[in-house]
């Protein structure tokens, strides 16, 4: 009975989405306020009915309703309640429903937080969101209905949730990631609305900036959580595999990062408008591409859902319509926009332009590496795969170049920066970074060119960012006063860039100075990883809620002193007949010690993986710092003041734009 | 030169330079890192290159897994039920590696026809197998041996 109600509410939500995509837009185009007034109620209704459907599916999981096919495939009566809850998004259909719930949630958020925007703009934005919603509602109903029943042969018990997914990481990773993916639809909707009414101005950039930044922050956290989860749950201690699906999430992140920076230029200086709009379209298209890659079954990966050609075709169509439609609109409308203001060849505008060039190049490289094998396979030109070295050789130089530019760009000024002044400004940060990176390299031992380049870049970014903060916070009333005077968006930038430095440092050090050893051990043996001695003391059996496990005991010694005990497991889940390695990790800010049990070699000998991972936590902490920076930036006062009188803002932006144009020389 | 043109030219030069570097790096890196897939029949017939990093895949032959009790070395045969290839691997095998299951191995073929793997992926659960393996099997049996993964829901697992 309940599942049918879920079905009905999905259908109702689809109908509301259809209305939302037509009525307010028609109102905006014909200037009828009565039609535009429908936008907000329709958005709320859509969210409520989607929420209802999601709640009903959750209920089906909680009461073990195995007559619902999706529940039967992804749950089991023995599963602990919190995994039953997270199993709602443990498979294709449910995670798609979560995705749609978030999409309608973002639509509602736009409706709620844009009360002060011009009503035509809001109507158009919400209508575009409605169109995106229609696409996904049709997708879930036509190809992946989570409420399909298994009648009359109701299974006695479910097939269990994939043990890999029975983990805290799964509870939080997909929601965060989807928040990011879906959030870019708002930037997309704003871009399309601006194209439709031809108002590509500073005010438009100011409105869509916070939405982009929030989406980006969520995506950053989502990717970091995924990497962290892969590290401890997949069992083998890698943190990034350049797996096509990881790349699928990295693609919108890279172009989203470019979008954030180009939006900043558009807001502050009124230039790069067409480029910014294009980036907004591309970023959302890449989010859709990611969905297609993950859900169409074209990939073999830890993320790949059931292959069903119908779904792939549908998503490809959705992607095609979005891209062709928005690019056609772009082609017709974008040339209307003229660039007025000027900037010098060493201005902040140029630094941000280069940042965009590098980020877009990186996006292209990752896209090529990910899609090339798929395209060849589709054309029947052979099966091949592109290995990690491809991404490492191409991505690292770009990352280093981006970091080096970032350090100089932080000091640069809008419009025009004096080259000599900038050079002198960079001298001290350069000296400090060189010394610090040499010190780091000496601590970890062994000079490697890439390790040095990476560490230097990371330190350079951090030093330049802090140096600029120091400069800016100089005040007659004392340092503290100066620090307090900085705007939240400036603090957001500082944290964002420090986060980048941390990720770079972590990635460089762990890939160059980490140690991995696979050894054969019998209880009583000991082995060294770096300075740490690992003693295999015992192995026994343990019984968990829905699994049995071989339970190892290891002592970790440093300089002969025991610092901790680790208990990795080899788990056996009887329902799905699957075996899983559960590594145990002694985590720390500066290093992780990682022990995992491999297979049994003989009666008492085991294959054991031991790892020493310096600075690995910095990867995820850095991402967290970046995301906090993003959230801080949108808490900036000016996004609230603007709501009082956005017309003035737009006017002023136009005026300053032309005034600057008149005054600038290059 | 007119300042605007000068600036446009600078931007253009940067763009072209960036593009050239990117294209150069990409082709260089691509040339070195493309790993072609071969099925056991192709390898047995000598169509696969020796000492080039390739991917090979199929089912792990029943009864073929032999471990060296004193080290982490393991040998097994990968088959498509027509031909089979001996594989050697040193290290820890993935959780889902088992006889009668699909695997994809990365590594190099040596002069004696032994495939020395440096990475073994067993991406499957009980009703899923890597698309390459499914293809290889289908080719060898010309449709008679239908892969068992046909229509069930499957979530794969890597590494």
């Amino acid at each position: 009975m309940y599942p049918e109600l879920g079905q009905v509410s999905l259908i109702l939500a689809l109908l509301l989405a259809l209305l939302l995509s037509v009525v307010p837009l028609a109102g905006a185009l014909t200037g009828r306020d009565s039609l535009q007034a429908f936008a907000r109620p329709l958005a709320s209704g859509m969210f409520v009915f989607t929420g209802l459907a999601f709640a009903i599916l959750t209920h089906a999981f909680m009461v073990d309703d195995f007559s619902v096919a999706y529940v039967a495939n992804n749950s089991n009566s023995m599963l602990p309640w919190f995994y039953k809850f997270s199993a709602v998004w443990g498979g294709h259909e449910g995670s798609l429903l979560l995705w749609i719930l978030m999409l309608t949630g973002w639509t509602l958020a736009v409706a709620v937080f844009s009360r002060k925007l011009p009503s035509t703009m809001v109507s158009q934005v919400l209508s575009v969101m409605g169109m995106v919603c229609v696409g996904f509602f049709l997708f879930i109903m036509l190809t992946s209905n989570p409420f399909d029943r298994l009648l009359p042969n109701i299974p006695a018990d479910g097939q269990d949730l994939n043990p890999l997914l029975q983990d805290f990481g799964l509870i939080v990773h997909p929601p965060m990631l989807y928040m990011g993916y879906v959030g870019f639809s708002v930037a997309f909707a704003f871009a399309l609305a601006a194209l439709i009414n031809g108002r590509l101005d500073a005010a438009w950039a100011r409105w869509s900036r916070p939405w982009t930044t929030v989406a980006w922050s969520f995506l950053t956290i989502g990717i970091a959580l995924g990497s962290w989860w892969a590290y401890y749950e997949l069992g083998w201690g890698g943190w990034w595999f350049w797996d096509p699906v990881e790349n699928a999430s990295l693609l919108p992140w890279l172009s989203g990062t470019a979008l954030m920076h180009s939006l900043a230029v558009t807001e502050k200086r009124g230039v790069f408008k067409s480029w910014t709009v294009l980036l907004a379209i591309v970023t959302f298209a890449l989010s859709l591409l990611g969905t297609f890659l993950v859900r169409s079954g074209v990939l073999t990966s830890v993320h790949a859902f059931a292959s069903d050609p119908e779904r792939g075709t549908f998503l490809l169509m959705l992607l095609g319509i979005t891209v062709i439609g928005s690019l056609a609109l772009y082609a017709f409308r974008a040339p209307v926009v003229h660039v007025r203001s000027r900037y010098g060849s060493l201005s902040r505008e140029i630094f941000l332009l280069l940042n965009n060039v590098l980020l877009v190049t990186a996006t292209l490289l990752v896209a090529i590496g990910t899609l090339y094998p798929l395209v060849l396979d589709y054309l029947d030109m052979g099966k091949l795969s592109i290995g990690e070295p491809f991404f490492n050789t191409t991505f690292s130089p770009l990352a280093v170049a981006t970091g080096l530019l970032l350090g100089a760009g932080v000091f640069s000024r809008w419009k025009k920066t004096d080259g000599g002044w900038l050079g002198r400004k960079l001298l001290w940060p350069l000296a400090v970074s060189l010394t610090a990176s040499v010190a780091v390299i000496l601590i970890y031992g062994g000079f490697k060119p890439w390790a040095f380049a990476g560490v230097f870049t990371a330190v350079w970014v951090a030093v330049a960012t802090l140096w600029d903060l120091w400069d800016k916070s100089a005040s007659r009333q004392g340092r503290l006063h100066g620090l307090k005077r900085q705007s939240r968006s400036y603090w957001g930038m500082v944290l964002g860039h420090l986060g980048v430095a941390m990720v770079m440092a972590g990635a460089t050090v762990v890939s160059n100075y980490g140690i991995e050893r696979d050894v054969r051990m019998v209880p009583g043996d000991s082995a060294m990883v770096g300075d740490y001695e690992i003693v295999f003391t015992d192995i026994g059996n343990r019984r968990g809620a829905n699994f049995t496990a071989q339970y190892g005991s290891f002592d970790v010694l440093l300089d002969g002193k025991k610092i901790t005990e680790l208990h990795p497991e080899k788990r056996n889940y009887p329902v799905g007949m699957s075996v899983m390695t559960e590594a145990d990790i002694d985590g720390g800010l500066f290093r992780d010690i990682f022990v995992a049990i491999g297979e049994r070699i003989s009666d008492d000998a085991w294959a054991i993986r031991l790892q020493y991972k310096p600075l690995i936590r910095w990867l995820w902490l850095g991402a967290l710092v970046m995301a906090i920076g993003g959230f801080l930036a949108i808490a900036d006062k000016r996004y609230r003041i603007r709501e009082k009188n956005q017309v003035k803002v737009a006017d002023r932006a136009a005026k300053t734009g032309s005034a600057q144009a008149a005054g600038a020389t290059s | 030169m007119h300042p605007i043109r000068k600036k446009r030219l600078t931007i253009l030069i940067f763009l072209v330079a960036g593009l050239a570097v990117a294209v150069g790096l990409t082709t260089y890196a691509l040339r070195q890192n493309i790993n072609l897939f071969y099925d056991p029949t192709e390898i047995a017939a000598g169509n696969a290159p020796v000492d080039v990093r390739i991917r090979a895949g199929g089912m792990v032959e029943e009864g073929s897994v032999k471990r060296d009790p004193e080290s982490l070395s393991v040998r097994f045969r990968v088959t498509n039920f027509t031909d089979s290839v001996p594989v050697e691997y040193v290290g820890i095998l993935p959780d889902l590696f088992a006889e009668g299951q699909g695997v994809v191995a990365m590594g190099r073929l040596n002069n004696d026809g032994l495939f020395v793997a440096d990475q073994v992926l067993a991406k499957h659960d009980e009703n899923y197998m890597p698309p390459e393996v499914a293809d290889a099997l289908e080719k060898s049996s010309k449709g008679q041996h239908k892969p068992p993964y046909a229509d069930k829901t499957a979530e794969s697992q890597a590494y």
Side-chain angles (χ1 to χ4, degrees):
Chain A
M1 172 46 196
Y2 280 117
E4 279 67 35
L5 274 182
Q7 186 89 60
V8 170
S9 38
L10 269 185
I11 294 171
L12 284 175
L14 167 67
L15 293 176
L16 292 177
L18 276 169
L19 286 174
L20 179 63
S21 55
V22 177
V23 176
L25 185 62
L29 293 178
T30 56
R32 276 185 214 164
D33 288 344
S34 54
L35 290 183
Q36 293 187 38
F38 278 107
R40 289 200 171 88
L42 283 174
S44 321
M46 201 172 70
F47 175 74
V48 168
F49 282 112
T50 315
L52 192 63
F54 191 81
I56 288 170
L57 187 63
T58 313
H59 175 259
F61 268 91
M62 287 302 172
V63 300
D64 294 326
D65 184 354
F66 296 123
S67 71
V68 177
Y70 179 68
V71 180
N73 285 332
N74 290 286
S75 184
N76 183 273
S77 54
M78 271 153 65
L79 207 60
W81 74 267
F82 42 91
Y83 290 143
K84 280 182 186 168
F85 179 64
S86 69
V88 174
W89 56 86
H92 166 72
E93 290 88 347
S95 62
L96 188 62
L97 187 58
L98 177 70
W99 167 289
I100 294 176
L101 179 69
M102 287 178 169
L103 188 57
T104 55
W106 278 99
T107 312
L108 182 68
V110 173
V112 169
F113 292 113
S114 60
R115 298 212 171 269
K116 304 285 162 51
L117 263 59
S119 62
T120 50
M121 185 81 182
V122 178
S123 312
Q124 285 162 348
V125 170
L126 289 178
S127 275
V128 175
M129 296 289 291
M131 292 176 205
V132 178
C133 290
V134 169
F136 278 95
F137 277 122
L138 285 177
F139 180 46
I140 196 169
M141 270 182 265
L142 297 180
T143 70
S144 0
N145 189 347
F147 297 108
D148 270 350
R149 295 270 210 172
L150 289 173
L151 294 173
N153 303 316
I154 301 173
D157 209 337
Q159 292 177 359
D160 207 0
L161 179 65
N162 185 338
L164 268 178
L165 306 180
Q166 296 182 24
D167 176 79
F168 174 74
L170 178 83
I171 302 183
V172 283
H173 163 59
M176 287 290 158
L177 202 63
Y178 292 176
M179 279 296 273
Y181 269 155
V182 174
F184 284 130
S185 67
V186 181
F188 170 76
F190 267 97
L192 282 206
L195 282 177
I196 292 173
N197 62 21
R199 266 190 69 176
L200 279 177
D201 49 21
W204 158 73
R206 176 165 288 200
W207 295 327
S208 59
R209 235 182 127 180
W211 297 102
T212 311
T213 312
V214 175
W216 177 88
S217 301
F218 277 117
L219 187 60
T220 310
I221 294 181
I223 294 176
L225 279 171
S227 153
W228 179 53
W229 175 71
Y231 169 68
Y232 73 80
E233 186 68 18
L234 286 184
W236 304 120
W239 50 273
W240 193 262
F241 300 99
W242 292 109
D243 170 300
V245 178
E246 288 173 326
N247 295 348
S249 69
L250 190 64
L251 287 172
W253 188 87
L254 287 169
S255 69
T257 313
L259 174 63
M260 262 196 327
H261 289 88
S262 120
L263 269 173
V265 188
T266 307
E267 187 203 338
K268 296 276 186 191
R269 302 276 303 126
V271 289
F272 301 175
K273 286 172 190 165
S274 316
W275 173 245
T276 308
V277 171
L278 192 60
L279 267 183
I281 294 172
V282 165
T283 305
F284 183 59
L286 287 174
S287 295
L288 289 184
L289 178 72
T291 323
F292 165 71
L293 289 180
V294 179
R295 291 169 191 277
S296 62
V298 294
L299 297 176
T300 328
S301 138
V302 63
H303 297 84
F305 291 97
S307 2
D308 180 347
E310 212 177 287
R311 290 174 189 161
T313 319
F314 191 101
L315 277 172
L316 210 54
M317 263 167 48
L318 204 61
L319 179 63
I321 293 171
T322 313
V323 172
I324 294 171
S326 48
L327 288 186
L329 190 63
Y330 178 80
F332 282 116
R333 306 293 301 212
V336 176
V337 185
H338 289 293
V339 177
R340 279 300 166 91
S341 52
R342 293 184 187 167
Y343 42 89
S345 49
L346 205 66
S347 58
R348 178 167 278 204
E349 288 91 323
I350 290 293
F351 276 105
L352 285 170
L353 178 70
L354 288 176
N355 145 305
N356 266 247
V357 170
L358 288 171
L359 282 168
V360 169
T361 314
T363 314
L364 278 177
L365 280 174
V366 177
I368 289 171
T370 312
L371 298 177
Y372 185 58
L374 294 176
V375 172
L376 279 195
D377 185 23
Y378 181 75
L379 298 176
D380 235 0
M381 287 165 68
K383 285 191 184 298
L384 54 85
S385 73
I386 291 176
E388 283 179 35
F390 166 76
F391 295 102
N392 292 337
T393 29
T394 53
F395 202 74
S396 314
L398 283 173
V400 167
T402 311
L404 294 180
L405 268 175
L406 195 167
V410 162
F411 293 107
S412 67
R413 303 274 166 85
W414 293 113
K415 288 197 275 191
K416 197 171 192 294
T417 314
D418 181 46
W421 175 83
L422 187 62
R424 284 191 297 281
K425 197 85 208 161
L426 292 175
L427 224 50
W428 274 109
L430 183 69
V432 173
S433 323
L434 266 179
T435 325
S437 5
V438 169
V440 171
I441 296 292
L442 285 180
I443 290 171
Y444 284 107
F447 174 84
K448 300 176 189 174
W450 275 116
F452 182 77
V455 170
F456 174 76
T457 313
V459 178
W460 166 251
V461 169
V463 168
T465 306
L466 292 173
W467 203 282
D468 185 58
L469 177 66
W470 186 257
D471 277 357
K472 287 215 167 69
S473 63
S475 158
R476 287 209 194 105
Q477 285 143 292
R479 183 66 56 183
L480 199 63
H481 180 264
L483 284 174
K484 272 188 194 155
R485 219 182 44 199
Q486 300 307 315
S487 69
R488 288 199 190 144
S489 61
Y490 179 73
W491 278 109
M493 185 188 94
V494 169
L495 285 185
H497 289 162
L498 286 180
V500 170
M502 286 173 77
V503 173
M504 279 187 170
T508 310
V509 170
V510 77
S511 8
N512 285 290
Y513 300 107
I515 300 169
E516 267 181 37
R517 287 190 66 192
D518 290 351
V519 286
R520 173 189 177 277
M521 291 177 107
V522 293
D525 276 359
S526 72
M528 297 293 290
V529 267
D531 297 334
Y532 295 84
E533 189 186 356
I534 314 283
V535 185
F536 185 12
T537 52
D538 191 22
I539 188 155
N541 291 310
R542 187 174 88 86
R543 184 168 270 287
N546 51 350
F547 61 87
T548 55
Q550 268 135 355
Y551 181 78
S553 297
F554 293 81
D555 286 346
V556 181
L557 286 77
L558 181 62
D559 301 330
K561 259 181 286 177
K562 180 170 158 181
I563 50 173
T564 185
E565 241 178 70
L566 292 176
H567 300 286
E569 294 179 3
K570 194 111 198 151
R571 288 186 185 170
N572 201 334
Y573 290 81
V575 179
M577 302 258 288
S578 45
V579 178
M580 241 195 60
T581 301
E582 194 81 8
D584 201 12
I585 301 162
D586 178 42
L589 191 55
F590 292 102
R591 59 106 192 91
D592 274 16
I593 301 292
F594 178 109
V595 180
I597 306 178
E599 67 265 39
R600 194 176 209 145
I601 299 172
S602 60
D603 279 349
D604 51 353
W606 292 77
I608 306 287
R609 173 160 293 184
L610 305 171
Q611 293 183 327
Y612 162 73
K613 296 262 173 192
L615 292 199
I616 189 160
R617 305 262 143 172
W618 287 38
L619 284 166
W620 309 307
L621 284 176
L624 189 65
V625 170
M626 275 192 239
I628 292 173
F631 288 120
L632 207 59
I634 61 148
D636 197 286
K637 278 188 207 127
R638 73 173 190 281
Y639 294 123
R640 273 166 287 148
I641 295 170
R642 67 133 205 253
E643 290 172 357
K644 275 191 207 145
N645 209 331
Q646 75 296 124
V647 184
K648 260 190 198 161
V649 171
D651 281 357
R652 208 186 323 133
K655 264 185 217 148
T656 46
S658 48
Q660 279 155 353
T665 48
S666 55
Chain B
M1 211 188 291
H2 194 279
I4 289 188
R5 279 201 206 133
K6 193 177 160 193
K7 192 174 64 199
R8 284 200 185 135
L9 190 68
T10 328
I11 294 174
L12 202 70
I13 288 171
F14 268 117
L15 281 174
V16 169
L19 206 66
V21 171
V23 168
L25 275 172
T26 316
T27 38
Y28 169 77
L30 267 179
R31 205 177 303 158
Q32 302 212 319
N33 292 300
I34 284 180
N35 313 117
L36 288 162
F37 179 86
Y38 292 90
D39 66 29
T41 304
E42 288 168 316
I43 296 174
N47 292 337
V50 171
D51 206 29
V52 172
R53 205 169 128 91
I54 58 170
R55 280 146 62 89
M59 306 298 262
V60 181
E61 202 170 279
E62 298 280 352
S64 73
V65 179
K66 291 202 174 50
R67 262 175 222 293
D68 175 3
E70 295 310 312
S71 74
L72 294 181
S73 161
V74 55
R75 280 182 182 230
F76 54 91
R77 298 184 75 86
V78 166
T79 175
N80 60 355
F81 304 115
T82 314
D83 297 284
S84 74
V85 177
V87 179
E88 185 188 58
Y89 175 69
V90 179
I92 295 178
L93 289 164
D95 287 338
L96 291 165
F97 177 91
E99 293 182 353
Q101 297 285 11
V103 287
V104 173
M106 292 270 270
R108 291 162 197 275
L109 204 58
N110 72 10
N111 288 320
D112 311 326
L114 178 71
F115 189 82
V116 183
D118 49 53
Q119 196 181 16
V120 174
L121 308 175
K123 298 172 171 184
H124 66 87
D125 60 15
E126 68 272 32
N127 46 27
Y128 177 84
M129 87 172 74
E132 294 101 325
V133 176
D135 263 17
L137 291 184
E138 217 161 320
K139 243 196 277 172
S140 78
S141 59
K142 294 179 188 74
Q144 288 163 354
H145 179 96
K146 203 173 178 230
Y149 73 107
D151 51 4
K152 277 186 159 181
T153 316
E155 251 169 72
S156 69
Q157 168 172 352
Y159 314 108

